[in-house]
Amino acid sequence: MFPIASLLPIDLPLEDPILKFMLIMAIVLTAPLLLNRLRIPYLLGLIIAGAVIGPHGLNLVLRDSSIILSGTAGLLYIMFQSGLEMDMNDFRRNSWRSLVFGLYTFSVPMAFGIFAGHWILGYPILSSILLAALFASQTLIAYPIVSKLGIARDKAVTIAVGGTIITDIMALSVLTVVVGFSTGSADNAFWYRLGISVAVCIAAILVLFPLIGRWFFKRCSDNVSQYVFVLVMVFLGAFLAEAAGLEPIIGAFLAGLAMNRLIPATSPLMNRIEFVGNALFIPFFLIGVGMLIDYRAFFKDWETIEVASVMIVGVTAAKYLAAVLTQKTFRLSRDQRTLIFGLSSAHVAATLAAVMVGYNVILGHTPDGDPIRLLDDGVLNGTILMILATCTVSTFATQRGAHNIALGEVREKEEADPAEQILIPLANEESVPELVSLATLLKPRKLKNALCALHAVNNTESDPRDVKRAQKLLDAAVRAAAASDDYLQGLFRYDVNIVNAIASTVLERNVSDLVMGAHREHGLTEHYLGKTAEGILARNNITTFIYKPVQPISTIQRHWIVIPARAELEAGFPYWVQRLWTLGRNTGAEMHFCGPDRTLDYLREKAEKSPVNARFRTLDDWDTLPDLAADTRTDDALWFVMSRRDRSSYLPAMGRLPDYLERCFSRRSCILIYPVQAGEDSNRFGL
């Protein structure tokens, strides 16, 4: 027999791709188990693991092209995900805060860097300015921490992410200009070329990417194809930025912003993006960063230690001061200040790019023939040590601030959120994905067990095949919810009729909302809604959404909500409003509320307290609904707040709504909302 060692050579460093991949995956798997006991942040643990197995440690794995490729993909993935998870309404509202923080976190480190480089380390002024650009740049290496804790939409995160892009653009612009002056190429054509290319790149990503994405998602529902398409857009954005003279991370972030509204936070596609990133791309990036760290740099010479000490102390102090100034300017909490400091203090991607460019620029030669570099060996080695130190500080600070903020949100949720159950009656398999998607977008993101689906069978007309068909429908609903990391309970029920089955389930399970499909055979025109839907509305006084999808709800750009007069007097007014507010936050789409001014005043007041991307338009007469068709586009959805007869908000024009929908809005997705309404049977429903 041959010894196993002869069949599996293990010469170091490892060259067998199977062994390399297995080793890295083993580290990703075991790191959380080992580090939780030592209270070391997971991200920092992966960096340390990279240093241990890398060429400067045990030399198990080289930082070769495969590691560089995977690491680059991981960094772009982090930037893309940060743009994708931003609350666009909050980002727009806080854009000036991001600008102010960006100026703080750029100008303060620039001042520290120029002073430290020129007056402490004795570098020439151009080298000192480039060293200051290293101080100013930052990398969102700790962003996965806030994403995992579910606080990516906190104001502090929005400010930090927006400010990071601003400061990186300015720092890399300084790099470009300094190199241009050093090489003598900073003429007029240089400035025109830089300005035009950057403007074209940003416009192409922010304008064309949403159009391409919406076109693709409307025509392709395959899960794998959608995810591959997203990856293509990430790297295309990075390539366009690189071609324009910017860092690829800027393009990846802009691609995330461009695709933000097409990939809702609760969608299955978002769940896949987060899962693959956290399992593969981001760990490879962090381990690759660790492989750069050379602990021997501490012992090479005094200059390296001196430069590294100045850089670490200077950049940490500068970033902390910028965070303090931001806190004082916007009256943020201490935890938000800590979080901003943690997110902005790490230096990896842009810093490495800048130091390598400066190191490769040769200004001349000494009499001995040695090259005179814009940034010397001391700065290069000091940068590697600075990366280790700042990544350590960043992960600890971010974890502390994010953990405290997340705990605060949990307490608020426990105090404020009642138990909620959304029931989805199922009738045909084609409508299942869209009904589940709508229900998922209407519920708060953190409620994971709020969905249940029901398929009912008339026990007087039952067929053995009904059980198999019911199981198929319920399995499809469970899979659709699981794809977005939500739990959905499937219910199968025999009853004397379907209406009675749904009504009984509503009472037994204390259901708060009903999401159901429109009458399938004849849209909304035959018997108005269909006999089943009309029977359900007659038996159940809960918030009910009747949905006729024309295209995936994730591709909807604008939601038009048509509200009747006196809707604010109905008992269920705050409930359906809260559902639409949740929809607006989960999708980021524009919400156009159309109704009487008196009703809109209540919504304007809510928009001031809890902002969404809302627009308001006076509409007093529902007989003018056909005029609204001229203002709607293909990618719009129509919502109509309805009323049962003899209730305060009922309008005779509601009886003519099927005709309006057929003539004017047949190519638009439509949702009818029937709110909770007080009346003769209100005591039965706890009103």
Side-chain angles (χ1 to χ4, degrees), residues 81-126:
Q81 193 172 328
S82 65
L84 197 63
E85 293 185 346
M86 288 189 70
D87 185 335
M88 293 303 294
N89 301 319
D90 194 49
F91 179 66
R92 187 182 300 104
R93 194 168 59 252
N94 290 304
S95 57
W96 67 279
R97 291 185 173 93
S98 295
L99 176 61
V100 171
F101 171 65
L103 294 175
Y104 281 154
T105 196
F106 172 76
S107 57
V108 175
M110 281 293 294
F112 272 62
I114 293 174
F115 175 80
H118 193 59
W119 280 279
I120 296 179
L121 300 176
Y123 291 140
I125 189 62
L126 285 180

Side-chain angles (χ1 to χ4, degrees), residues 60-61 82 88-89 101 148 199 211 304 358 484 510 525 532 589 604:
L60 299 180
V61 179
S82 65
M88 293 303 294
N89 301 319
F101 171 65
K148 186 176 182 180
L211 298 177
T304 297
S484 57
N510 195 27
T525 58
T532 300
R604 291 188 182 100

Side-chain angles (χ1 to χ4, degrees), residues 7 97 162 207 262 304 320 360 459 574 592 642:
L7 298 176
R97 291 185 173 93
V207 175
L262 296 175
T304 297
Y320 183 77
N360 291 327
N459 58 14
H592 291 253
M642 305 296 287

Side-chain angles (χ1 to χ4, degrees), residues 438 442 545 553 556 558-563 580 583 591 637-641 669-673:
L438 177 61
L442 289 173
F545 301 86
I553 196 168
I556 298 296
R558 303 185 300 178
H559 295 275
W560 293 80
I561 301 96
V562 182
I563 310 169
L580 290 182
L583 175 82
M591 311 291 289
L638 278 298
W639 298 67
F640 297 92
V641 181
S669 293
C670 174
I671 303 97
L672 304 185
I673 306 175

Side-chain angles (χ1 to χ4, degrees), residues 131-170:
L131 179 66
L134 303 184
F135 281 30
S137 64
Q138 56 197 47
T139 303
L140 292 172
I141 194 173
Y143 183 82
I145 294 176
V146 301
S147 179
K148 186 176 182 180
L149 289 174
I151 61 167
R153 298 194 171 196
D154 186 83
K155 182 191 298 184
V157 178
T158 302
I159 292 173
V161 172
T164 295
I165 298 304
I166 292 170
T167 191
D168 278 351
I169 289 176
M170 290 191 291

Side-chain angles (χ1 to χ4, degrees), residues 24 47 50-51 53-56 61-63 67 287-293:
I24 293 176
I47 295 174
I53 69 171
H56 305 299
V61 179
L62 291 178
R63 194 172 187 272
I67 299 295
I287 292 173
V289 170
M291 290 182 179
L292 291 170
I293 297 170

